[in-house]
Every structure is written in C-alpha cells, then in structure tokens.
Amino acid sequence: MAVNSRPLPTLPVLDDPAAEQVLASGLLPELAYAFGGPFHFLLPDAFDTNLRAMQDTLAAAEVDGFVYFAKKANKAAVFVERAAAGGAGVDVASVAEFREALGHGVRGEHLVVTGPAKDPALLHLAVQHGALVAVDALDELDALATAALTGRVRPARILLRVLPPAQPHSRFGLSQTELATALDRCVQAGDAVRMEGFSFHLSGYALQPRADLAAHLVDLCLKARVQGLEASRISIGGGLPISYSDADSWHTFLAEQNSGHYHAGKTFHTGDFYPYHSPVAGAAALAALLATRPEGHEQPLAALLKEAGVTLLLEPGRALLHQAGASVFRIRGVKDRDGYQILTVDGTSLSLSEQWFNSEYLPDPILLPQDPAGPAGTFPASVGAATCLESDMLTWRKIPLHSQPRTGDLLVYPNTAGYQMDSNESPFHDLALPPKVVIDQTDRPRPRWRLDRHFT
Ligand SMILES: Cc1ncc(COP(=O)(O)O)c(C=O)c1O
C-alpha cells in the first residue's frame, strides 16, 4: 500500500559503516534462518573505539581518571572482555554481574559495586576481591566494616554516594546528615574501611549539573581529608549522552510528530523520548564536562580535579555501546489498516525496552527485503510483537518504509546495544531469548561471526 500524501516523520540514524557492511553482506538472512527467531548482532570494535576515545579525552585534559563500563547496559560477555582488555573496569550491581565480570577477566580491584540495598553476599564478594563499593546507606557501611573485620583479608574500599541536592527526591544516596554520620563511622572503623571518596549518578544528560555536583564532591574530599580519610577520588556515574541521529532530523521529528503518526492514535510526550541528538555526545560530552566551569568556581572542572589531586571515575553504559550492535527481527505477518500496515515480527517489544518508559525507540528500522527488486514507494507501517498483548508494539509510529514489506523480510533496529536490546528481555510466551552474535571483523568481504558466550 504505497502512500503519497503528507510525508510521515522519520528519524534516520547517523552513518555507521561497520553496521552497513554487515547489512550489505547477506549474513543476516542466513543467521535469521539458522536461529529461527530474532537475534542481536554485536560490534565490539565500536566499544573499543568509544572506550579509547574516553581514555584519550581524560589524557588530553591531563585528568587522572578511570572508566568503568556500566554492565547493566548490556548483558553480553564480549563487552566485559573488551573492557578488561582495554584497561577499563566494570560497574556491577548484583552478585551475578560481579561473577560475570570476574569470570570474563576483570580484576576485582577494577570493579565498582553500585545500586541500592546491596545483597550481603555482594558486599562480602566486594571485600574479598578488593572491589570499590559505592555505599548507598549507613547500614551498608556497617555491613562492609563488619565483613572486612570478619574476613581479616583487606579493608573495605568505599565511596560514599551522595543524594544529589538538585534531585532531592532521588531514592539513591546519603543525605547531608547521613553523610556526616558516615564520615564519622569511617574514621571510627580505622583500618577496616578505606574511604576513597564520593560518588553520584544523576538522571538526565545535562552537563552543568554534573560539573556542579562533581565540584561539590571535590570539596567534600578536601574536607574528609581533614578528618584523616583518604578521599582521593570521585565517581560521576553514567549519563554521557549519545547521538543516534543528526540535529536537523531530530528537531524536525520533534516539531512534526503528532498522534496521527502513530498506530491507534497513540500519544507520546516528547519529554519522555530519549534525546536522540545531543550537541555533544560520548567522549566529546566528557571533554565538554571537563571544560565546564562549575557554579561558584573560577576554573573548569578539569583544573579543580588536578589541583585537589582527585581522580575522576566514570561509569558510562550507553555511551560505550554507541554503534556496538543492532537487533534483527523477521516479519511474520502483514495486515492492512487505514492508510498503513501493521507488521508482526517474530519477537517482542521487550527486546527494544523503551516502551517500558512510556516511550518508544525512535531511530528508523531498516527493512531488508527478500526480493530487493520489489515495488518501490513509501509504505507506512507500524510494528507489533508476536504476543497476545494489544500494547506489545515494537513501533507504534507509522514508519515510512521505502519498499514494500512482506512476510519473511527482515527488519533491523539499529544501534540497540545500549539498554535497548536486552535490559528488559524476558521469555514471555516461552519464547527463547534472542541470541547474541558477535561480529568482530567487519572489514572482511564476508564478516566473521560467533555466538557471545551468553546464549540465553
Ligand atoms: C550508578 C550508575 N552508574 C552508571 C549508570 C550508567 O548510566 P548510562 O548508561 O546513562 O551511562 C547508571 C544507570 O542507571 C547508574 O545507575
């Protein structure tokens, strides 16, 4: 059903030669046949590039820093292996993540443990392996001191996580009063606790609040040192933005989209969409953050860190996974509706995550037709899942596809490695979780692939 009326909004992704090479290679239909269901492919070389860019940015700003990959952003083993090989640590928040990271080559002292109300077994593992723990509550601090005394192996290495003054309703972090108590307890704990500094994680992607809070944490370090504590590092958590699309496409999309552009007249609040374009992204956002002058200070953040002898720790998830993978579904059915079609694919929206935030993963999926010589035109289509739920839509938006979608064609959602592909996956309807395929040599005429060690 080709349509020529008013154009529907689109959100094309930025150029990504490695992914384009995979799409052009003919590999994806073969893998779809082999797996008989949806799958993800991973491009870990992009992870290496993103990691190196961040490390180079720290070096260029002459800031002593260390990058931890926030493992929650993707469950694949390969990214942990690349983090270990690339001189990064890993941010973990469960016993399973801790074990995974250790088992895939990350040294215990290169782990940082984050998250609220941590499992005692996790705290114990952290002490045994010399991992850093971002303490989120006073009882956690007590439990760590006890674990260190009981194990008699080494001190508990800790950061104190701060409740951000600008986000006072956050459920994470210690209030000012709790911080004062925590510092006293660290002093009293003596050799059982090594208080290495402070941490935060802010919602949103703005740089100025991050620079302001980082500067505040540097001040806290200076004060804690007066109490005889080490206080030599701060962690600024994650939240480095990435750009999926160019500025023009994103702003045009936001200006034009309305409920008529979605299946069933669905409405999304534009404020709930991820900012699919940011003026600075990834390592460039880190550079901009280091160059930002925190409020009330004469110097940029980089200079404040250097002057205070404070090491900068960061825990990027999404930003390390930019262009590091995509998700592939097969179209199982095509239905006509008034002026558009509904495609049903062989997976669920749980493999795209965003619906769970009252939102939608907006970058345009790419149709790989079985018959490339099929009719051309504009074919608007929304994408539903292979489940019984009315609301299980991968894409409510009517995507203006450029060739006619047919049963058996593949639909590729680009750049999904950061959270989208697996953070919410579940075996609903007893469907198998989509396997992950690692493609690490895209520059060959025929890309090489293997399964990630996590098959399920
Ligand atoms: C403590 C902490 N660190 C790091 C991250 C990673 O954030 P991002 O993927 O936005 O970089 C998160 C995300 O929730 C987090 O809670």
Side-chain angles (χ1 to χ4, degrees):
M1 171 193 304
V3 166
N4 294 314
S5 53
R6 237 179 112 64
L8 290 162
T10 61
L11 193 62
V13 282
L14 297 175
D15 287 346
D16 180 357
E20 284 155 24
Q21 161 118 21
V22 173
L23 262 64
S25 71
L27 177 65
L28 299 182
E30 283 182 27
L31 292 175
Y33 177 78
F35 296 132
F39 64 96
H40 308 292
F41 68 86
L42 310 177
L43 300 167
D45 291 352
F47 179 95
D48 294 350
T49 305
N50 297 330
L51 174 58
R52 252 193 324 271
M54 286 184 204
Q55 292 166 332
D56 290 350
T57 299
L58 291 168
E62 296 174 4
V63 166
D64 184 29
F66 192 72
V67 180
Y68 295 91
F69 164 52
K71 189 177 180 328
K72 67 205 95 194
N74 195 293
K75 298 190 181 84
V78 71
F79 296 124
V80 172
E81 291 163 358
R82 294 297 180 105
V90 175
D91 157 19
V92 296
S94 69
V95 169
E97 285 187 348
F98 196 109
R99 286 187 188 138
E100 271 289 300
L102 279 183
H104 287 283
V106 184
R107 288 155 50 179
E109 62 262 39
H110 284 170
L111 294 174
V112 62
V113 182
T114 59
K118 298 169 194 68
D119 184 342
L122 179 58
L123 296 178
H124 189 73
L125 270 178
V127 174
Q128 288 288 330
H129 289 274
L132 190 58
V133 179
V135 168
D136 192 56
L138 289 173
D139 57 356
E140 218 167 75
L141 178 58
D142 298 340
L144 279 165
T146 308
L149 286 172
T150 318
R152 278 193 228 111
V153 193
R154 42 173 77 179
R157 296 178 54 216
I158 65 150
L159 302 173
L160 296 176
R161 181 162 171 175
V162 172
L163 171 67
Q167 293 179 359
H169 301 300
S170 170
R171 69 187 176 98
F172 299 102
L174 300 160
S175 67
Q176 266 190 18
T177 323
E178 288 168 330
L179 264 188
T181 308
L183 288 166
D184 288 343
R185 289 193 195 170
C186 288
V187 173
Q188 285 154 18
D191 288 346
V193 167
R194 193 167 136 187
M195 207 297 274
E196 298 193 11
F198 298 89
S199 74
F200 69 80
H201 173 75
L202 280 178
S203 301
Y205 299 93
L207 296 182
Q208 187 68 47
R210 285 185 163 73
D212 293 348
L213 193 46
H216 176 58
L217 265 52
V218 170
D219 286 344
L220 288 179
C221 283
L222 298 179
K223 288 185 187 137
R225 288 178 192 169
V226 178
Q227 289 182 266
L229 299 167
E230 176 179 319
S232 61
R233 54 196 65 202
I234 63 167
S235 173
I236 57 168
L240 289 178
I242 65 174
S243 283
Y244 293 81
S245 194
D246 62 278
D248 257 12
S249 303
W250 175 229
H251 296 302
T252 307
F253 181 91
L254 284 180
E256 289 184 353
Q257 66 93 42
N258 62 54
S259 63
H261 298 138
Y262 296 85
H263 166 59
K266 177 99 172 159
T267 308
F268 289 105
H269 298 291
T270 52
D272 287 336
F273 289 141
Y274 179 83
Y276 287 96
H277 178 84
S278 288
V280 284
L286 175 59
L289 176 67
L290 293 171
T292 299
R293 196 167 51 78
E295 209 190 308
H297 290 268
E298 296 300 319
Q299 306 186 79
L301 178 60
L304 295 178
L305 290 162
K306 269 185 279 182
E307 200 173 275
V310 167
T311 300
L312 182 75
L313 313 178
L314 53 153
E315 302 153 10
R318 195 187 286 267
L320 282 174
L321 294 168
H322 180 47
Q323 300 189 328
S327 301
V328 186
F329 300 86
R330 190 185 284 288
I331 298 172
R332 284 236 302 251
V334 180
K335 260 187 185 168
D336 287 335
R337 282 292 182 265
D338 190 13
Y340 65 106
Q341 291 179 308
I342 297 182
L343 315 180
T344 300
V345 294
D346 57 359
T348 84
S349 65
L350 294 167
S351 294
L352 271 183
S353 296
E354 209 68 22
Q355 307 290 1
W356 293 83
F357 303 107
N358 295 325
S359 187
E360 162 134 322
Y361 187 62
L362 290 175
D364 294 341
I366 299 145
L367 182 71
L368 285 187
Q370 294 181 101
D371 173 14
T378 299
F379 301 87
S382 300
V383 185
T387 67
C388 303
L389 299 180
E390 190 75 81
S391 60
D392 193 358
M393 298 289 294
L394 285 82
T395 301
W396 293 84
R397 182 164 68 91
K398 298 168 190 169
I399 311 147
L401 297 171
H402 297 306
S403 48
Q404 185 164 19
R406 295 180 196 275
T407 298
D409 292 350
L410 298 186
L411 204 56
V412 182
Y413 282 84
N415 205 359
T416 54
Y419 296 104
Q420 306 305 328
M421 68 172 55
D422 72 6
S423 68
N424 288 326
E425 278 184 338
S426 95
F428 185 48
H429 277 312
D430 285 344
L431 291 169
L433 292 187
K436 294 202 177 84
V437 169
V438 177
I439 301 178
D440 38 19
Q441 291 174 346
T442 45
D443 52 351
R444 298 161 54 96
R446 186 118 184 93
R448 275 239 160 119
W449 67 275
R450 64 180 174 85
L451 287 173
D452 185 71
R453 255 162 271 174
H454 273 289
F455 191 69
T456 54

